[in-house]
Amino acid sequence: MTAPQRRRAITFILVTLTLDAMGIGLILPVMPDLIREVEGGTLGRAALWGGILATTFAVMQFIFGPILGSLSDRYGRRSVLLISLLVMTVDYLVMAVAGSIWLLFLTRVIGGITAATQSTAAAFIADISKPEEKSANFGLIGAAFGVGFVLGPVIGGLLGELGTRAPFYAAAALGALNLVFGYYVLPETVTDSIRRPFLWRRANPFGAFRALSQLDGLRRLIFLVFLYEFAFIVYPATWAYFTKEAFGWSPGMVGASLALFGIGIAIVQGALIRPALKRFGERGTIIYGIAFNFTAFVLLTIITTGWVALAFIPITALGAVVTPALQGLMSQRAGDDQQGELQGVIASAKSIAMIFSPLVMTQLFWMFTNDTGLYFPGAAFALSAAIMIVCMITFLGRPQPAS
């Protein structure tokens, strides 16, 4: 692969991941109003349905992350990515016309399957990266998500002021354009030397986990991925409801706040991750990130003024160094023919967190804002702070081999 081909291919991968993040960001500002539009009821009830839809999305990611990752190990990254992108584009169009909560539910099923290609995209990055480059290059994946969280909420918030359906038409158009771009620029990185037969016993999440957990230290690191994601999901799960309840923010304001958060993530994972890894290494970077996230979650539970929360949002992104450092640490311990499988297992660990975290976080929000006598909108952030303590104990529980 020539240098220009490599740059174009990486651009497509990053744009694809940006669109995945945009899909989340597009939905968040309008989700409370969209659910109430098709289902009715209170804001608390809308939050419960939001948790159910997010969990459905995550169940599909959990099931199909290793499947698509293993399929890409066998048939190549290109075909898996392009087909999934086509289906994702159609899914957005269906969401744009959905008139019932059950049709929204169906679109989250399909959307979860197409979003499971994150593991394939990460495997592509691993294919073209030297071992010492992997953590930093995985930071580009995080930066792409950060850009998506900037563009998604901005587009979703602005178009949400025009109507709850407009953001989905925009996402479908962007998906179609990227599909055409990928068709012409994306090469295949899976060669016969690293191609691995597709086996159902390894493609399912549990079989893949059993196979990979035998590698040095991976079981504990995968569990850490689950814990960290469970806590971090408090943002997409409750932010729109929390800020509307605590500060009275509109969809546009919610979108602006998420855009600030995305800018912070893009800067941290696209630029700051490299000097952090150089100075602290993967181990020190992970410790720093966990500690910073704990501090951010605690502060969000006690902030009572909207403008203070808005000013603090970009700072919270400084803890986003954990995920790329963890991915790089694990990728270095897996073989070249296991990268798709490994990224699929990582995606499944994240998806397990996404299955349970939105339900827990939205239930906490509902319980502490539903006239039960104890009013505490930030209860979910307090839980996330406690989980960060468990993350630190898990990571430091045993001596960590040098990376």
Side-chain angles (χ1 to χ4, degrees):
M1 188 187 307
T2 65
Q5 288 176 325
R6 186 174 184 270
R7 286 194 297 269
R8 287 192 293 267
I10 291 177
T11 299
F12 167 77
I13 293 295
L14 297 181
V15 169
T16 300
L17 293 171
T18 299
L19 289 177
D20 285 342
M22 281 183 60
I24 299 171
L26 277 167
I27 294 172
L28 287 177
V30 300
M31 188 57 76
D33 293 333
L34 177 61
I35 293 176
R36 295 175 76 179
E37 177 184 313
V38 301
E39 176 66 15
T42 65
L43 182 63
R45 181 175 174 81
L48 291 177
W49 267 112
I52 293 171
L53 293 176
T55 294
T56 300
F57 185 91
V59 168
M60 294 299 102
Q61 281 192 306
F62 169 69
I63 294 172
F64 283 89
I67 292 176
L68 295 186
S70 291
L71 282 172
S72 75
D73 281 341
R74 171 62 181 87
Y75 298 105
R77 320 294 186 209
R78 174 183 164 87
S79 57
V80 171
L81 287 169
L82 294 182
I83 292 172
S84 297
L85 189 57
L86 173 62
V87 176
M88 181 194 74
T89 300
V90 175
D91 187 60
Y92 278 131
L93 290 175
V94 176
M95 290 189 76
V97 299
S100 71
I101 195 69
W102 299 111
L103 190 52
L104 283 178
F105 178 85
L106 177 61
T107 61
R108 291 296 78 196
V109 171
I110 298 172
I113 296 173
T114 60
T117 54
Q118 294 173 20
S119 60
T120 305
F124 181 93
I125 295 295
D127 290 341
I128 62 174
S129 302
K130 298 177 182 178
E132 65 273 13
E133 298 174 340
K134 288 184 176 180
S135 292
N137 285 345
F138 283 132
L140 294 176
I141 294 176
F145 272 91
V147 172
F149 266 104
V150 173
L151 297 178
V154 168
I155 296 173
L158 292 176
L159 295 181
E161 300 290 345
L162 303 176
T164 56
R165 312 304 178 125
F168 302 108
Y169 287 112
L174 291 173
L177 289 173
N178 193 45
L179 175 62
V180 174
F181 177 55
Y183 180 82
Y184 287 104
V185 305
L186 187 67
E188 184 52 70
T189 58
V190 175
T191 62
D192 290 339
S193 62
I194 64 172
R195 194 180 306 275
R196 186 166 56 84
F198 179 83
L199 300 173
W200 278 108
R201 61 182 174 83
R202 295 184 64 145
N204 74 82
F206 303 105
F209 177 78
R210 283 194 299 270
L212 288 171
S213 63
Q214 299 173 12
L215 298 178
D216 182 27
L218 277 185
R219 178 178 299 179
R220 184 164 54 91
L221 293 179
I222 291 170
F223 179 59
L224 179 58
V225 169
F226 163 76
L227 287 175
Y228 178 80
E229 292 296 324
F230 191 102
F232 205 77
I233 286 166
V234 69
Y235 290 113
T238 68
W239 187 253
Y241 310 100
F242 167 70
T243 54
K244 192 177 183 70
E245 176 71 24
F247 312 126
W249 286 359
S250 67
M253 193 63 176
V254 173
S257 67
L258 290 171
L260 285 175
F261 185 66
I263 290 172
I265 290 180
I267 293 173
V268 169
Q269 296 194 342
L272 298 184
I273 182 69
R274 294 175 187 272
L277 289 168
K278 184 177 180 179
R279 180 177 178 83
F280 304 114
E282 275 89 355
R283 177 179 169 82
T285 300
I286 292 168
I287 293 172
Y288 151 76
I290 293 173
F292 194 92
N293 277 300
F294 169 78
T295 304
F297 288 138
V298 169
L299 290 177
L300 284 172
T301 65
I302 61 177
I303 291 175
T304 58
T305 306
W307 72 266
V308 175
L310 189 66
F312 181 67
I313 286 167
I315 302 175
T316 63
L318 290 175
V321 293
V322 174
T323 298
L326 267 175
Q327 281 186 279
L329 205 59
M330 288 186 281
S331 181
Q332 292 172 27
R333 300 182 183 185
D336 291 339
D337 63 343
Q338 293 179 299
Q339 293 299 320
E341 184 181 21
L342 169 63
Q343 299 304 327
V345 170
I346 293 173
S348 286
K350 294 180 180 180
S351 298
I352 295 173
M354 194 66 183
I355 289 169
F356 296 105
S357 182
L359 292 177
V360 173
M361 300 301 182
T362 54
Q363 284 282 346
L364 274 177
F365 175 82
W366 176 78
M367 288 172 58
F368 285 93
T369 59
N370 198 40
D371 299 326
T372 57
L374 181 58
Y375 183 76
F376 186 28
F381 291 98
L383 174 61
S384 291
I387 294 173
M388 283 297 110
I389 297 175
V390 181
C391 285
M392 188 69 80
I393 294 172
T394 300
F395 187 65
L396 298 178
R398 298 178 185 176
Q400 186 82 356
S403 61

